[in-house]
Amino acid sequence: MQTQHMKELLPKDCRFCSLVSKANGEDLIGTAGTYEHWLVMEVPQPWPQEIFQENPTIKSVIGLFQELIFQHGVNLKPMLIAPDREYSHPGFTRIFYYYRPTKLFSQFEKQEFIVPESKAAALLTAIFQQLIQKPNNLSQFQQYKQQTSDIRELMVCTHAQVDLACGRFGTPIYRQLRKEYAPISHGKLRVWQTTHFGGHQFAPTLIDLSQGCLWGHLEPDVLDLLVQQNGSVFGLRQYYRGWTGLSKFEQIVEREIWMQSGWNWLNYLKAGKVLAMEKDGDWAEVRIDFTLPDGSMSGAYEGRIEVCGEVTSAFNSAKEMELEAVKQYRVSRLVKVE
């Protein structure tokens, strides 16, 4: 199946890419990206489109970051969050570092530091050096480490300078979560605005850390289910972009397992593997291994994913959009193997 490009002038009310994706029924699953590490730093707004090239702290470590990614192949996702009047401290910079703790896991291990602004670049350098096994002084930052592993961080993209859809649709969702859910969490939930992390066509899009699940096309009336996790998981099916501990085809199978298993599935330690794949990506065979956290039960699922059609989507908001056909998938077989 060949992906086709076409240009078409859309009506003014359709210039947001996320409206095109939503109107055409694009399935979000498998679009979460796959990461082993997350690095999130407070940087005040406004955020220009090229914030990562323009911010002096980031510029000072960009060479080491590029070495980390391109020479050592470390799978790390960098993001920025806006300081919050309640959470943040003038003159200090908060840095979150999340990492995959083991092969089978359910959530990323969290480290949080609040350092004087003048030490932010040194901390980033130490983290990067540790990741590529170079001598580092990370131990010197222990005094700035926060004991917040029990705090859930919801991060909503509001980076309008990268794409208007994120500002238009992400900002109201951020405000609702921040106003209605964070204050009643007894300090167990914080809500942040973030820079772009991929998928403006799915705005409003959200990351749930330490879990590492991504969500998109969020609506106000599903936030209660997303935050409280106390209703039918099927109510979130269409909003789930996937779990970032797995790759694209693994994410597609994992959603079906979650739909069958319910909320407890999110706490299972798991890892995925693509067993076979057609070269154009029209089908794939996947295995998801799992175990309970206490080790009392383990097993695996094997599934087959197949293309079931395509929809037209837009990857960027603009008055004149480039539309693209996007393959849609279904899980045609799913079996549990002991």
Side-chain angles (χ1 to χ4, degrees), residues 204-265:
T205 188
L206 174 152
I207 303 169
D208 189 343
L209 286 167
S210 301
Q211 202 166 66
C213 292
L214 259 69
W215 306 89
H217 285 171
L218 287 171
E219 299 281 359
D221 60 2
V222 301
L223 297 183
D224 202 59
L225 183 56
L226 177 74
V227 174
Q228 308 295 346
Q229 299 184 345
N230 59 0
S232 169
V233 295
F234 197 79
L236 289 172
R237 188 180 198 277
Q238 71 189 82
Y239 308 101
Y240 189 39
R241 293 183 58 186
W243 182 52
T244 54
L246 299 171
S247 64
K248 174 181 176 177
F249 291 122
E250 295 161 6
Q251 290 173 9
I252 296 172
V253 168
E254 193 260 352
R255 180 177 67 177
E256 296 307 310
I257 302 170
W258 179 43
M259 290 295 108
Q260 293 183 15
S261 306
W263 290 110
N264 285 340
W265 171 254

Side-chain angles (χ1 to χ4, degrees), residues 175-192:
R175 287 175 176 165
Q176 185 176 348
L177 286 166
R178 182 68 184 84
K179 181 180 179 181
E180 296 180 16
Y181 292 93
I184 63 171
S185 71
H186 305 292
K188 298 301 183 183
L189 171 71
R190 294 185 291 203
V191 182
W192 305 90

Side-chain angles (χ1 to χ4, degrees), residues 46-59:
W47 298 319
Q49 185 169 359
E50 303 299 327
I51 180 67
F52 284 92
Q53 287 77 33
E54 297 177 15
N55 178 272
T57 300
I58 300 169
K59 278 175 68 175

Side-chain angles (χ1 to χ4, degrees), residues 24-315:
N24 291 342
E26 182 176 1
D27 193 354
L28 312 189
I29 193 60
T31 67
T34 309
Y35 304 109
E36 305 242 322
H37 309 268
W38 298 81
L39 192 67
V40 186
M41 182 173 76
E42 281 183 331
V43 171
Q45 294 168 309
W47 298 319
Q49 185 169 359
E50 303 299 327
I51 180 67
F52 284 92
Q53 287 77 33
E54 297 177 15
N55 178 272
T57 300
I58 300 169
K59 278 175 68 175
S60 69
V61 299
I62 198 71
L64 191 56
F65 174 74
Q66 290 172 338
E67 179 185 347
L68 186 88
I69 303 297
F70 299 114
Q71 293 182 32
H72 296 271
V74 176
N75 188 351
L76 180 144
K77 181 67 174 177
M79 288 195 322
L80 306 179
I81 54 173
D84 182 278
R85 280 188 299 178
E86 180 183 341
Y87 309 148
S88 303
H89 308 275
F92 288 79
T93 298
R94 172 181 277 104
I95 293 175
F96 291 116
Y97 169 52
Y98 294 90
Y99 61 93
R100 179 179 188 144
T102 53
K103 182 183 178 184
L104 271 73
F105 74 117
S106 63
Q107 62 180 25
F108 292 84
E109 196 74 23
K110 176 186 184 183
Q111 293 183 359
E112 178 182 352
F113 300 87
I114 298 178
V115 298
E117 288 175 358
S118 60
K119 294 181 180 290
L123 174 56
L124 295 178
T125 298
I127 292 172
F128 291 161
Q129 287 173 332
Q130 183 191 52
L131 280 172
I132 56 179
Q133 298 179 339
K134 282 188 172 181
N136 62 79
N137 63 350
L138 191 56
S139 61
Q140 296 179 16
F141 292 91
Q142 292 305 303
Q143 61 180 307
Y144 302 111
K145 206 168 180 180
Q146 310 297 304
Q147 300 304 317
T148 59
S149 59
D150 60 332
I151 298 180
R152 184 181 178 192
E153 316 287 352
L154 296 183
M155 302 184 178
V156 183
C157 180
T158 61
H159 200 177
Q161 289 85 347
V162 170
D163 194 280
L164 290 171
C166 296
R168 171 65 180 82
F169 302 111
T171 302
I173 290 293
Y174 157 74
R175 287 175 176 165
Q176 185 176 348
L177 286 166
R178 182 68 184 84
K179 181 180 179 181
E180 296 180 16
Y181 292 93
I184 63 171
S185 71
H186 305 292
K188 298 301 183 183
L189 171 71
R190 294 185 291 203
V191 182
W192 305 90
Q193 299 183 74
T194 77
T195 52
H196 180 60
F197 49 79
H200 357 269
Q201 70 270 34
F202 308 128
T205 188
L206 174 152
I207 303 169
D208 189 343
L209 286 167
S210 301
Q211 202 166 66
C213 292
L214 259 69
W215 306 89
H217 285 171
L218 287 171
E219 299 281 359
D221 60 2
V222 301
L223 297 183
D224 202 59
L225 183 56
L226 177 74
V227 174
Q228 308 295 346
Q229 299 184 345
N230 59 0
S232 169
V233 295
F234 197 79
L236 289 172
R237 188 180 198 277
Q238 71 189 82
Y239 308 101
Y240 189 39
R241 293 183 58 186
W243 182 52
T244 54
L246 299 171
S247 64
K248 174 181 176 177
F249 291 122
E250 295 161 6
Q251 290 173 9
I252 296 172
V253 168
E254 193 260 352
R255 180 177 67 177
E256 296 307 310
I257 302 170
W258 179 43
M259 290 295 108
Q260 293 183 15
S261 306
W263 290 110
N264 285 340
W265 171 254
L266 298 183
N267 299 319
Y268 282 35
L269 311 182
K270 46 198 174 283
K273 183 179 182 182
V274 176
L275 303 174
M277 183 172 62
E278 198 266 341
K279 65 177 181 177
D280 292 327
D282 283 355
W283 63 262
E285 301 274 356
V286 167
R287 178 184 174 98
I288 307 288
D289 289 289
F290 69 87
T291 182
L292 281 176
D294 64 4
S296 61
M297 184 182 76
S298 62
Y301 287 89
E302 290 186 357
R304 180 180 174 90
I305 305 103
E306 297 176 346
V307 165
C308 60
E310 63 179 36
V311 298
T312 302
S313 191
F315 294 155

